[in-house]
Amino acid sequence: MNREPLYHLYYSGMGTVDLDPEWEHKNREQFCHYCHKLKLPHGGMDLITDGKIRKNLDMAMVDHLLIPSSMSLRLLNLLGEEAEKHLNIGSIYNKVESEKHKQPFVTFISKYDYIVLRGEKPYIFDRQPVPENDRLFVCPECHFHSRREHAPWFLLESEYPKYPICCTEMGLLLYESIYERLKNIKLVGVCVEKVKVK
């Protein structure tokens, strides 16, 4: 079967802004207490931060959250209508005193299962690479799957995604036909890597 090449877009950098403590307290039961990811499946989610996200970023990490992830309205527009078809979208607000101000960023959560990318290089713990049979990690509380591996990324043929825009733990996995729309645009705070299919 002739399949499109895949590209992984993910946030690169440090956390840029913290969550509003009141919002975090009110929503803590929606997050796993063990791995701190949003409990899935989940629709769109609005976030409230205690500061502004830097305007020039196209992907930003809010506090410690990997899920939901966030992207700029610019990147959302570049992805086109396919993004809203395949992602649950929420807004991000900045709380200043008692008022909320909408920021030019959105949250995104997959409408489907998250894609678990495989990495060519294992994580290193205590100066030793994680053994092959211990690299798949399943959260004991929420059962979210992830791998203890680093790029370069790949998937097995049987793991090829059904949809042109999918979520990974760290960002977005795109078919080449979607990536074509933004490949000549300089994205800020975003790593882009091709994902092999073996």
Side-chain angles (χ1 to χ4, degrees), residues 136-169:
L136 179 65
F137 174 75
V138 180
C139 175
E141 183 179 318
C142 71
H143 309 292
F144 187 86
H145 288 57
S146 59
R147 294 191 68 87
R148 293 172 167 161
E149 294 164 339
H150 294 291
W153 307 111
F154 72 95
L155 288 172
L156 301 178
E157 186 75 33
S158 62
E159 298 166 333
Y160 189 87
K162 296 178 186 176
Y163 307 102
I165 297 178
C166 296
C167 288
T168 70
E169 179 182 11

PDB file of all heavy atoms in Angstrom, residues 136-169:
ATOM      1  N   LEU A 136       8.197   0.298  26.917  1.00  0.00           N
ATOM      2  CA  LEU A 136       6.787   0.681  26.872  1.00  0.00           C
ATOM      3  C   LEU A 136       6.325   0.934  28.294  1.00  0.00           C
ATOM      4  O   LEU A 136       6.430   0.065  29.153  1.00  0.00           O
ATOM      5  CB  LEU A 136       5.932  -0.412  26.229  1.00  0.00           C
ATOM      6  CG  LEU A 136       4.429  -0.095  26.168  1.00  0.00           C
ATOM      7  CD1 LEU A 136       4.162   1.096  25.260  1.00  0.00           C
ATOM      8  CD2 LEU A 136       3.643  -1.306  25.690  1.00  0.00           C
ATOM      9  N   PHE A 137       5.820   2.157  28.537  1.00  0.00           N
ATOM     10  CA  PHE A 137       5.331   2.501  29.876  1.00  0.00           C
ATOM     11  C   PHE A 137       3.827   2.694  29.815  1.00  0.00           C
ATOM     12  O   PHE A 137       3.321   3.442  28.970  1.00  0.00           O
ATOM     13  CB  PHE A 137       5.999   3.778  30.390  1.00  0.00           C
ATOM     14  CG  PHE A 137       5.424   4.246  31.698  1.00  0.00           C
ATOM     15  CD1 PHE A 137       5.732   3.595  32.878  1.00  0.00           C
ATOM     16  CD2 PHE A 137       4.543   5.316  31.737  1.00  0.00           C
ATOM     17  CE1 PHE A 137       5.182   4.008  34.085  1.00  0.00           C
ATOM     18  CE2 PHE A 137       3.986   5.736  32.938  1.00  0.00           C
ATOM     19  CZ  PHE A 137       4.311   5.075  34.113  1.00  0.00           C
ATOM     20  N   VAL A 138       3.110   2.014  30.701  1.00  0.00           N
ATOM     21  CA  VAL A 138       1.661   2.165  30.810  1.00  0.00           C
ATOM     22  C   VAL A 138       1.382   2.708  32.202  1.00  0.00           C
ATOM     23  O   VAL A 138       1.741   2.090  33.204  1.00  0.00           O
ATOM     24  CB  VAL A 138       0.931   0.819  30.598  1.00  0.00           C
ATOM     25  CG1 VAL A 138      -0.574   1.012  30.714  1.00  0.00           C
ATOM     26  CG2 VAL A 138       1.299   0.224  29.241  1.00  0.00           C
ATOM     27  N   CYS A 139       0.761   3.891  32.266  1.00  0.00           N
ATOM     28  CA  CYS A 139       0.470   4.499  33.562  1.00  0.00           C
ATOM     29  C   CYS A 139      -0.424   3.559  34.368  1.00  0.00           C
ATOM     30  O   CYS A 139      -1.466   3.115  33.873  1.00  0.00           O
ATOM     31  CB  CYS A 139      -0.217   5.845  33.367  1.00  0.00           C
ATOM     32  SG  CYS A 139      -0.727   6.598  34.933  1.00  0.00           S
ATOM     33  N   PRO A 140      -0.051   3.251  35.605  1.00  0.00           N
ATOM     34  CA  PRO A 140      -0.863   2.316  36.403  1.00  0.00           C
ATOM     35  C   PRO A 140      -2.228   2.865  36.807  1.00  0.00           C
ATOM     36  O   PRO A 140      -3.122   2.107  37.146  1.00  0.00           O
ATOM     37  CB  PRO A 140       0.003   2.067  37.647  1.00  0.00           C
ATOM     38  CG  PRO A 140       0.934   3.226  37.719  1.00  0.00           C
ATOM     39  CD  PRO A 140       1.150   3.695  36.321  1.00  0.00           C
ATOM     40  N   GLU A 141      -2.408   4.191  36.722  1.00  0.00           N
ATOM     41  CA  GLU A 141      -3.699   4.769  37.104  1.00  0.00           C
ATOM     42  C   GLU A 141      -4.617   5.006  35.906  1.00  0.00           C
ATOM     43  O   GLU A 141      -5.742   4.525  35.866  1.00  0.00           O
ATOM     44  CB  GLU A 141      -3.482   6.089  37.860  1.00  0.00           C
ATOM     45  CG  GLU A 141      -4.782   6.700  38.358  1.00  0.00           C
ATOM     46  CD  GLU A 141      -4.565   7.989  39.129  1.00  0.00           C
ATOM     47  OE1 GLU A 141      -3.621   8.069  39.939  1.00  0.00           O
ATOM     48  OE2 GLU A 141      -5.345   8.930  38.904  1.00  0.00           O
ATOM     49  N   CYS A 142      -4.131   5.756  34.894  1.00  0.00           N
ATOM     50  CA  CYS A 142      -5.009   6.111  33.761  1.00  0.00           C
ATOM     51  C   CYS A 142      -4.767   5.249  32.529  1.00  0.00           C
ATOM     52  O   CYS A 142      -5.490   5.351  31.549  1.00  0.00           O
ATOM     53  CB  CYS A 142      -4.851   7.588  33.410  1.00  0.00           C
ATOM     54  SG  CYS A 142      -3.278   8.014  32.624  1.00  0.00           S
ATOM     55  N   HIS A 143      -3.717   4.430  32.548  1.00  0.00           N
ATOM     56  CA  HIS A 143      -3.380   3.480  31.470  1.00  0.00           C
ATOM     57  C   HIS A 143      -2.915   4.159  30.181  1.00  0.00           C
ATOM     58  O   HIS A 143      -2.952   3.545  29.118  1.00  0.00           O
ATOM     59  CB  HIS A 143      -4.550   2.522  31.186  1.00  0.00           C
ATOM     60  CG  HIS A 143      -5.069   1.870  32.423  1.00  0.00           C
ATOM     61  ND1 HIS A 143      -4.328   0.957  33.142  1.00  0.00           N
ATOM     62  CD2 HIS A 143      -6.237   2.018  33.094  1.00  0.00           C
ATOM     63  CE1 HIS A 143      -5.012   0.569  34.198  1.00  0.00           C
ATOM     64  NE2 HIS A 143      -6.181   1.207  34.197  1.00  0.00           N
ATOM     65  N   PHE A 144      -2.472   5.419  30.253  1.00  0.00           N
ATOM     66  CA  PHE A 144      -1.913   6.079  29.071  1.00  0.00           C
ATOM     67  C   PHE A 144      -0.607   5.382  28.686  1.00  0.00           C
ATOM     68  O   PHE A 144       0.224   5.095  29.545  1.00  0.00           O
ATOM     69  CB  PHE A 144      -1.657   7.561  29.353  1.00  0.00           C
ATOM     70  CG  PHE A 144      -1.252   8.337  28.135  1.00  0.00           C
ATOM     71  CD1 PHE A 144      -2.212   8.871  27.286  1.00  0.00           C
ATOM     72  CD2 PHE A 144       0.090   8.526  27.826  1.00  0.00           C
ATOM     73  CE1 PHE A 144      -1.853   9.592  26.158  1.00  0.00           C
ATOM     74  CE2 PHE A 144       0.459   9.235  26.698  1.00  0.00           C
ATOM     75  CZ  PHE A 144      -0.516   9.763  25.857  1.00  0.00           C
ATOM     76  N   HIS A 145      -0.442   5.108  27.393  1.00  0.00           N
ATOM     77  CA  HIS A 145       0.757   4.430  26.891  1.00  0.00           C
ATOM     78  C   HIS A 145       1.779   5.441  26.378  1.00  0.00           C
ATOM     79  O   HIS A 145       1.422   6.385  25.667  1.00  0.00           O
ATOM     80  CB  HIS A 145       0.388   3.501  25.732  1.00  0.00           C
ATOM     81  CG  HIS A 145      -0.350   2.272  26.151  1.00  0.00           C
ATOM     82  ND1 HIS A 145      -1.535   2.299  26.859  1.00  0.00           N
ATOM     83  CD2 HIS A 145      -0.068   0.963  25.952  1.00  0.00           C
ATOM     84  CE1 HIS A 145      -1.946   1.065  27.083  1.00  0.00           C
ATOM     85  NE2 HIS A 145      -1.079   0.233  26.537  1.00  0.00           N
ATOM     86  N   SER A 146       3.027   5.228  26.714  1.00  0.00           N
ATOM     87  CA  SER A 146       4.122   6.029  26.166  1.00  0.00           C
ATOM     88  C   SER A 146       5.361   5.141  26.105  1.00  0.00           C
ATOM     89  O   SER A 146       5.367   4.034  26.638  1.00  0.00           O
ATOM     90  CB  SER A 146       4.367   7.281  27.015  1.00  0.00           C
ATOM     91  OG  SER A 146       4.681   6.930  28.335  1.00  0.00           O
ATOM     92  N   ARG A 147       6.394   5.645  25.439  1.00  0.00           N
ATOM     93  CA  ARG A 147       7.618   4.858  25.323  1.00  0.00           C
ATOM     94  C   ARG A 147       8.795   5.650  25.885  1.00  0.00           C
ATOM     95  O   ARG A 147       8.861   6.868  25.738  1.00  0.00           O
ATOM     96  CB  ARG A 147       7.876   4.464  23.871  1.00  0.00           C
ATOM     97  CG  ARG A 147       6.803   3.512  23.340  1.00  0.00           C
ATOM     98  CD  ARG A 147       7.184   2.906  22.004  1.00  0.00           C
ATOM     99  NE  ARG A 147       8.297   1.989  22.110  1.00  0.00           N
ATOM    100  CZ  ARG A 147       8.185   0.688  22.393  1.00  0.00           C
ATOM    101  NH1 ARG A 147       6.997   0.148  22.603  1.00  0.00           N
ATOM    102  NH2 ARG A 147       9.248  -0.085  22.460  1.00  0.00           N
ATOM    103  N   ARG A 148       9.713   4.930  26.509  1.00  0.00           N
ATOM    104  CA  ARG A 148      10.912   5.549  27.088  1.00  0.00           C
ATOM    105  C   ARG A 148      12.026   5.527  26.051  1.00  0.00           C
ATOM    106  O   ARG A 148      13.012   4.798  26.173  1.00  0.00           O
ATOM    107  CB  ARG A 148      11.306   4.792  28.356  1.00  0.00           C
ATOM    108  CG  ARG A 148      10.278   4.956  29.463  1.00  0.00           C
ATOM    109  CD  ARG A 148      10.561   4.073  30.634  1.00  0.00           C
ATOM    110  NE  ARG A 148       9.750   4.462  31.783  1.00  0.00           N
ATOM    111  CZ  ARG A 148       9.508   3.675  32.810  1.00  0.00           C
ATOM    112  NH1 ARG A 148       9.999   2.453  32.851  1.00  0.00           N
ATOM    113  NH2 ARG A 148       8.782   4.097  33.810  1.00  0.00           N
ATOM    114  N   GLU A 149      11.804   6.356  25.015  1.00  0.00           N
ATOM    115  CA  GLU A 149      12.739   6.408  23.888  1.00  0.00           C
ATOM    116  C   GLU A 149      12.814   7.827  23.344  1.00  0.00           C
ATOM    117  O   GLU A 149      11.938   8.642  23.591  1.00  0.00           O
ATOM    118  CB  GLU A 149      12.265   5.442  22.780  1.00  0.00           C
ATOM    119  CG  GLU A 149      12.327   3.989  23.209  1.00  0.00           C
ATOM    120  CD  GLU A 149      11.524   3.044  22.326  1.00  0.00           C
ATOM    121  OE1 GLU A 149      10.602   3.489  21.617  1.00  0.00           O
ATOM    122  OE2 GLU A 149      11.824   1.836  22.369  1.00  0.00           O
ATOM    123  N   HIS A 150      13.902   8.089  22.594  1.00  0.00           N
ATOM    124  CA  HIS A 150      14.143   9.398  21.983  1.00  0.00           C
ATOM    125  C   HIS A 150      14.180   9.268  20.460  1.00  0.00           C
ATOM    126  O   HIS A 150      14.381   8.188  19.924  1.00  0.00           O
ATOM    127  CB  HIS A 150      15.505   9.958  22.423  1.00  0.00           C
ATOM    128  CG  HIS A 150      15.584  10.292  23.878  1.00  0.00           C
ATOM    129  ND1 HIS A 150      14.898  11.335  24.453  1.00  0.00           N
ATOM    130  CD2 HIS A 150      16.288   9.719  24.889  1.00  0.00           C
ATOM    131  CE1 HIS A 150      15.171  11.386  25.756  1.00  0.00           C
ATOM    132  NE2 HIS A 150      16.010  10.414  26.041  1.00  0.00           N
ATOM    133  N   ALA A 151      14.050  10.425  19.793  1.00  0.00           N
ATOM    134  CA  ALA A 151      14.158  10.487  18.326  1.00  0.00           C
ATOM    135  C   ALA A 151      15.540   9.968  17.900  1.00  0.00           C
ATOM    136  O   ALA A 151      16.472   9.988  18.708  1.00  0.00           O
ATOM    137  CB  ALA A 151      13.965  11.924  17.880  1.00  0.00           C
ATOM    138  N   PRO A 152      15.656   9.528  16.631  1.00  0.00           N
ATOM    139  CA  PRO A 152      14.694   9.617  15.545  1.00  0.00           C
ATOM    140  C   PRO A 152      13.497   8.683  15.744  1.00  0.00           C
ATOM    141  O   PRO A 152      13.634   7.578  16.253  1.00  0.00           O
ATOM    142  CB  PRO A 152      15.500   9.259  14.293  1.00  0.00           C
ATOM    143  CG  PRO A 152      16.721   8.577  14.782  1.00  0.00           C
ATOM    144  CD  PRO A 152      16.958   9.003  16.185  1.00  0.00           C
ATOM    145  N   TRP A 153      12.302   9.174  15.325  1.00  0.00           N
ATOM    146  CA  TRP A 153      11.049   8.468  15.567  1.00  0.00           C
ATOM    147  C   TRP A 153      10.702   7.526  14.429  1.00  0.00           C
ATOM    148  O   TRP A 153      11.052   7.765  13.274  1.00  0.00           O
ATOM    149  CB  TRP A 153       9.902   9.476  15.736  1.00  0.00           C
ATOM    150  CG  TRP A 153      10.182  10.518  16.755  1.00  0.00           C
ATOM    151  CD1 TRP A 153      10.405  11.840  16.536  1.00  0.00           C
ATOM    152  CD2 TRP A 153      10.301  10.336  18.171  1.00  0.00           C
ATOM    153  NE1 TRP A 153      10.650  12.488  17.736  1.00  0.00           N
ATOM    154  CE2 TRP A 153      10.592  11.581  18.748  1.00  0.00           C
ATOM    155  CE3 TRP A 153      10.186   9.229  19.007  1.00  0.00           C
ATOM    156  CZ2 TRP A 153      10.768  11.771  20.106  1.00  0.00           C
ATOM    157  CZ3 TRP A 153      10.362   9.404  20.369  1.00  0.00           C
ATOM    158  CH2 TRP A 153      10.653  10.664  20.914  1.00  0.00           C
ATOM    159  N   PHE A 154       9.975   6.460  14.775  1.00  0.00           N
ATOM    160  CA  PHE A 154       9.467   5.550  13.751  1.00  0.00           C
ATOM    161  C   PHE A 154       8.216   4.855  14.265  1.00  0.00           C
ATOM    162  O   PHE A 154       7.888   4.896  15.454  1.00  0.00           O
ATOM    163  CB  PHE A 154      10.535   4.529  13.328  1.00  0.00           C
ATOM    164  CG  PHE A 154      10.848   3.467  14.360  1.00  0.00           C
ATOM    165  CD1 PHE A 154      10.218   2.228  14.311  1.00  0.00           C
ATOM    166  CD2 PHE A 154      11.775   3.692  15.365  1.00  0.00           C
ATOM    167  CE1 PHE A 154      10.509   1.250  15.248  1.00  0.00           C
ATOM    168  CE2 PHE A 154      12.068   2.717  16.313  1.00  0.00           C
ATOM    169  CZ  PHE A 154      11.437   1.486  16.253  1.00  0.00           C
ATOM    170  N   LEU A 155       7.495   4.248  13.334  1.00  0.00           N
ATOM    171  CA  LEU A 155       6.331   3.420  13.641  1.00  0.00           C
ATOM    172  C   LEU A 155       6.465   2.125  12.858  1.00  0.00           C
ATOM    173  O   LEU A 155       7.112   2.090  11.807  1.00  0.00           O
ATOM    174  CB  LEU A 155       5.032   4.111  13.216  1.00  0.00           C
ATOM    175  CG  LEU A 155       4.557   5.311  14.030  1.00  0.00           C
ATOM    176  CD1 LEU A 155       3.380   5.980  13.336  1.00  0.00           C
ATOM    177  CD2 LEU A 155       4.172   4.897  15.440  1.00  0.00           C
ATOM    178  N   LEU A 156       5.851   1.093  13.349  1.00  0.00           N
ATOM    179  CA  LEU A 156       5.757  -0.138  12.581  1.00  0.00           C
ATOM    180  C   LEU A 156       4.638   0.024  11.553  1.00  0.00           C
ATOM    181  O   LEU A 156       3.718   0.826  11.747  1.00  0.00           O
ATOM    182  CB  LEU A 156       5.471  -1.325  13.504  1.00  0.00           C
ATOM    183  CG  LEU A 156       6.505  -1.572  14.608  1.00  0.00           C
ATOM    184  CD1 LEU A 156       6.082  -2.746  15.471  1.00  0.00           C
ATOM    185  CD2 LEU A 156       7.897  -1.795  14.029  1.00  0.00           C
ATOM    186  N   GLU A 157       4.729  -0.733  10.482  1.00  0.00           N
ATOM    187  CA  GLU A 157       3.717  -0.668   9.416  1.00  0.00           C
ATOM    188  C   GLU A 157       2.304  -0.800   9.975  1.00  0.00           C
ATOM    189  O   GLU A 157       1.389  -0.081   9.584  1.00  0.00           O
ATOM    190  CB  GLU A 157       3.995  -1.782   8.402  1.00  0.00           C
ATOM    191  CG  GLU A 157       3.126  -1.764   7.177  1.00  0.00           C
ATOM    192  CD  GLU A 157       3.488  -0.670   6.180  1.00  0.00           C
ATOM    193  OE1 GLU A 157       4.662  -0.319   6.056  1.00  0.00           O
ATOM    194  OE2 GLU A 157       2.551  -0.178   5.539  1.00  0.00           O
ATOM    195  N   SER A 158       2.122  -1.704  10.943  1.00  0.00           N
ATOM    196  CA  SER A 158       0.791  -1.944  11.527  1.00  0.00           C
ATOM    197  C   SER A 158       0.295  -0.778  12.381  1.00  0.00           C
ATOM    198  O   SER A 158      -0.880  -0.725  12.737  1.00  0.00           O
ATOM    199  CB  SER A 158       0.807  -3.223  12.366  1.00  0.00           C
ATOM    200  OG  SER A 158       1.733  -3.081  13.439  1.00  0.00           O
ATOM    201  N   GLU A 159       1.175   0.176  12.721  1.00  0.00           N
ATOM    202  CA  GLU A 159       0.820   1.310  13.574  1.00  0.00           C
ATOM    203  C   GLU A 159       0.557   2.595  12.780  1.00  0.00           C
ATOM    204  O   GLU A 159       0.304   3.641  13.371  1.00  0.00           O
ATOM    205  CB  GLU A 159       1.955   1.567  14.586  1.00  0.00           C
ATOM    206  CG  GLU A 159       2.190   0.399  15.521  1.00  0.00           C
ATOM    207  CD  GLU A 159       3.490   0.487  16.295  1.00  0.00           C
ATOM    208  OE1 GLU A 159       4.456   1.123  15.806  1.00  0.00           O
ATOM    209  OE2 GLU A 159       3.554  -0.086  17.387  1.00  0.00           O
ATOM    210  N   TYR A 160       0.590   2.513  11.460  1.00  0.00           N
ATOM    211  CA  TYR A 160       0.382   3.693  10.623  1.00  0.00           C
ATOM    212  C   TYR A 160      -0.981   4.301  10.948  1.00  0.00           C
ATOM    213  O   TYR A 160      -1.988   3.601  11.000  1.00  0.00           O
ATOM    214  CB  TYR A 160       0.448   3.310   9.146  1.00  0.00           C
ATOM    215  CG  TYR A 160       0.461   4.497   8.216  1.00  0.00           C
ATOM    216  CD1 TYR A 160       1.652   5.121   7.858  1.00  0.00           C
ATOM    217  CD2 TYR A 160      -0.728   4.999   7.696  1.00  0.00           C
ATOM    218  CE1 TYR A 160       1.661   6.216   7.003  1.00  0.00           C
ATOM    219  CE2 TYR A 160      -0.728   6.098   6.836  1.00  0.00           C
ATOM    220  CZ  TYR A 160       0.475   6.700   6.503  1.00  0.00           C
ATOM    221  OH  TYR A 160       0.487   7.788   5.667  1.00  0.00           O
ATOM    222  N   PRO A 161      -1.041   5.626  11.201  1.00  0.00           N
ATOM    223  CA  PRO A 161      -2.305   6.245  11.629  1.00  0.00           C
ATOM    224  C   PRO A 161      -3.371   6.269  10.529  1.00  0.00           C
ATOM    225  O   PRO A 161      -3.058   6.413   9.351  1.00  0.00           O
ATOM    226  CB  PRO A 161      -1.896   7.665  12.027  1.00  0.00           C
ATOM    227  CG  PRO A 161      -0.623   7.915  11.288  1.00  0.00           C
ATOM    228  CD  PRO A 161       0.068   6.596  11.149  1.00  0.00           C
ATOM    229  N   LYS A 162      -4.629   6.172  10.958  1.00  0.00           N
ATOM    230  CA  LYS A 162      -5.763   6.184  10.027  1.00  0.00           C
ATOM    231  C   LYS A 162      -6.140   7.589   9.587  1.00  0.00           C
ATOM    232  O   LYS A 162      -6.854   7.767   8.618  1.00  0.00           O
ATOM    233  CB  LYS A 162      -6.997   5.566  10.703  1.00  0.00           C
ATOM    234  CG  LYS A 162      -6.872   4.121  11.065  1.00  0.00           C
ATOM    235  CD  LYS A 162      -8.144   3.672  11.773  1.00  0.00           C
ATOM    236  CE  LYS A 162      -8.016   2.256  12.294  1.00  0.00           C
ATOM    237  NZ  LYS A 162      -9.198   1.840  13.060  1.00  0.00           N
ATOM    238  N   TYR A 163      -5.712   8.601  10.342  1.00  0.00           N
ATOM    239  CA  TYR A 163      -6.170   9.968  10.110  1.00  0.00           C
ATOM    240  C   TYR A 163      -4.996  10.878   9.774  1.00  0.00           C
ATOM    241  O   TYR A 163      -3.882  10.678  10.264  1.00  0.00           O
ATOM    242  CB  TYR A 163      -6.898  10.483  11.351  1.00  0.00           C
ATOM    243  CG  TYR A 163      -7.998   9.556  11.797  1.00  0.00           C
ATOM    244  CD1 TYR A 163      -7.816   8.709  12.881  1.00  0.00           C
ATOM    245  CD2 TYR A 163      -9.203   9.500  11.103  1.00  0.00           C
ATOM    246  CE1 TYR A 163      -8.825   7.834  13.278  1.00  0.00           C
ATOM    247  CE2 TYR A 163     -10.216   8.634  11.487  1.00  0.00           C
ATOM    248  CZ  TYR A 163     -10.012   7.795  12.579  1.00  0.00           C
ATOM    249  OH  TYR A 163     -11.011   6.930  12.960  1.00  0.00           O
ATOM    250  N   PRO A 164      -5.224  11.934   8.960  1.00  0.00           N
ATOM    251  CA  PRO A 164      -4.119  12.800   8.526  1.00  0.00           C
ATOM    252  C   PRO A 164      -3.538  13.697   9.608  1.00  0.00           C
ATOM    253  O   PRO A 164      -2.421  14.178   9.481  1.00  0.00           O
ATOM    254  CB  PRO A 164      -4.746  13.638   7.409  1.00  0.00           C
ATOM    255  CG  PRO A 164      -6.213  13.622   7.685  1.00  0.00           C
ATOM    256  CD  PRO A 164      -6.501  12.299   8.334  1.00  0.00           C
ATOM    257  N   ILE A 165      -4.301  13.929  10.683  1.00  0.00           N
ATOM    258  CA  ILE A 165      -3.789  14.684  11.841  1.00  0.00           C
ATOM    259  C   ILE A 165      -4.097  13.867  13.082  1.00  0.00           C
ATOM    260  O   ILE A 165      -5.259  13.569  13.368  1.00  0.00           O
ATOM    261  CB  ILE A 165      -4.443  16.076  11.956  1.00  0.00           C
ATOM    262  CG1 ILE A 165      -4.120  16.942  10.739  1.00  0.00           C
ATOM    263  CG2 ILE A 165      -3.976  16.781  13.235  1.00  0.00           C
ATOM    264  CD1 ILE A 165      -4.758  18.318  10.756  1.00  0.00           C
ATOM    265  N   CYS A 166      -3.054  13.485  13.802  1.00  0.00           N
ATOM    266  CA  CYS A 166      -3.204  12.706  15.041  1.00  0.00           C
ATOM    267  C   CYS A 166      -2.345  13.345  16.120  1.00  0.00           C
ATOM    268  O   CYS A 166      -1.431  14.110  15.835  1.00  0.00           O
ATOM    269  CB  CYS A 166      -2.734  11.265  14.827  1.00  0.00           C
ATOM    270  SG  CYS A 166      -3.712  10.347  13.642  1.00  0.00           S
ATOM    271  N   CYS A 167      -2.635  12.998  17.356  1.00  0.00           N
ATOM    272  CA  CYS A 167      -1.834  13.500  18.474  1.00  0.00           C
ATOM    273  C   CYS A 167      -0.864  12.436  18.961  1.00  0.00           C
ATOM    274  O   CYS A 167      -1.164  11.240  18.955  1.00  0.00           O
ATOM    275  CB  CYS A 167      -2.734  13.905  19.636  1.00  0.00           C
ATOM    276  SG  CYS A 167      -3.666  15.408  19.337  1.00  0.00           S
ATOM    277  N   THR A 168       0.278  12.908  19.395  1.00  0.00           N
ATOM    278  CA  THR A 168       1.223  12.083  20.134  1.00  0.00           C
ATOM    279  C   THR A 168       1.311  12.681  21.536  1.00  0.00           C
ATOM    280  O   THR A 168       0.744  13.744  21.797  1.00  0.00           O
ATOM    281  CB  THR A 168       2.622  12.114  19.487  1.00  0.00           C
ATOM    282  OG1 THR A 168       3.188  13.418  19.681  1.00  0.00           O
ATOM    283  CG2 THR A 168       2.566  11.777  18.000  1.00  0.00           C
ATOM    284  N   GLU A 169       2.051  12.046  22.393  1.00  0.00           N
ATOM    285  CA  GLU A 169       2.236  12.572  23.751  1.00  0.00           C
ATOM    286  C   GLU A 169       2.874  13.963  23.727  1.00  0.00           C
ATOM    287  O   GLU A 169       2.639  14.779  24.600  1.00  0.00           O
ATOM    288  CB  GLU A 169       3.118  11.607  24.537  1.00  0.00           C
ATOM    289  CG  GLU A 169       3.412  12.031  25.946  1.00  0.00           C
ATOM    290  CD  GLU A 169       4.334  11.062  26.668  1.00  0.00           C
ATOM    291  OE1 GLU A 169       4.911  10.167  26.017  1.00  0.00           O
ATOM    292  OE2 GLU A 169       4.474  11.211  27.890  1.00  0.00           O
TER     293      GLU A 169
END
